[in-house]
Amino acid sequence: MAYEVSTTIEIAATPENVWAVLADLASYATWHPAYVGVTGQLAAGSTLTITTTHPTTSRNMTAKVKVLTVDPGTELRWKSNLAGVTISKRTFRLSPTADGTLLVQTGTYRGLGGGRGRAITTVIGRIQDTFVAINEAIKQQAEARQRASG
């Protein structure tokens, strides 16, 4: 069974400034609430190595994701596999608005521990909370870039 999480935020910055935040992989460790490092090349077909902090143990975990779409100012999408099975897909979509950019972040997850009921609800809730925190962090970074560019 697949579970989808989606969050949306309005950002008072151009799609180009929001994209600049997403594309600056080396800076993720300074602003991202969960990723302590991202390495690799941001190009369709490439592999990124993401080091993240586990929310309950505070231990670092490393995952490799395959970049599916890199459309500057519009969309970034990747997927991760385990034993040849796609376990997650993540998408960041940017749309221009009258006041800046609408960012929609979605994730589709499979194999979340095989649990049901409350356990899955807790995991999905944590993912949702993390997405909200990521959106807020992207907003802060992009709006700072917007102010700096005048």
Side-chain angles (χ1 to χ4, degrees):
M1 177 176 214
Y3 297 91
E4 185 169 300
V5 175
S6 183
T7 58
T8 303
I9 193 167
E10 291 189 33
I11 302 172
T14 64
E16 292 76 21
N17 278 324
V18 178
W19 181 262
V21 173
L22 288 172
D24 186 2
L25 302 179
S27 294
Y28 273 49
T30 64
W31 64 264
H32 200 286
Y35 294 173
V36 295
V38 179
T39 59
Q41 183 180 0
L42 196 58
S46 70
T47 299
L48 301 179
T49 301
I50 299 173
T51 303
T52 186
T53 301
H54 191 279
T56 56
T57 66
S58 297
R59 289 185 11 213
N60 286 350
M61 302 181 318
T62 300
K64 294 193 180 290
V65 299
K66 182 175 183 178
V67 179
L68 301 174
T69 305
V70 176
D71 189 358
T74 305
E75 182 178 59
L76 172 60
R77 191 165 52 101
W78 67 63
K79 70 175 181 174
S80 63
N81 294 327
L82 183 62
V85 176
T86 299
I87 59 168
S88 71
K89 289 183 182 177
R90 179 79 68 90
T91 303
F92 298 86
R93 281 200 181 88
L94 311 176
S95 303
T97 66
D99 297 320
T101 303
L102 181 68
L103 167 63
V104 178
Q105 182 183 178
T106 57
T108 304
Y109 298 87
R110 295 184 181 280
L112 293 175
R116 299 195 189 284
R118 190 184 316 240
I120 286 298
T121 301
T122 299
V123 170
I124 295 298
R126 280 191 195 129
I127 293 169
Q128 182 83 28
D129 291 347
T130 301
F131 276 28
V132 169
I134 292 166
N135 285 0
E136 287 292 336
I138 292 169
K139 176 182 173 77
Q140 289 176 3
Q141 294 296 310
E143 290 178 353
R145 283 179 184 257
Q146 187 76 24
R147 287 189 299 275
S149 67

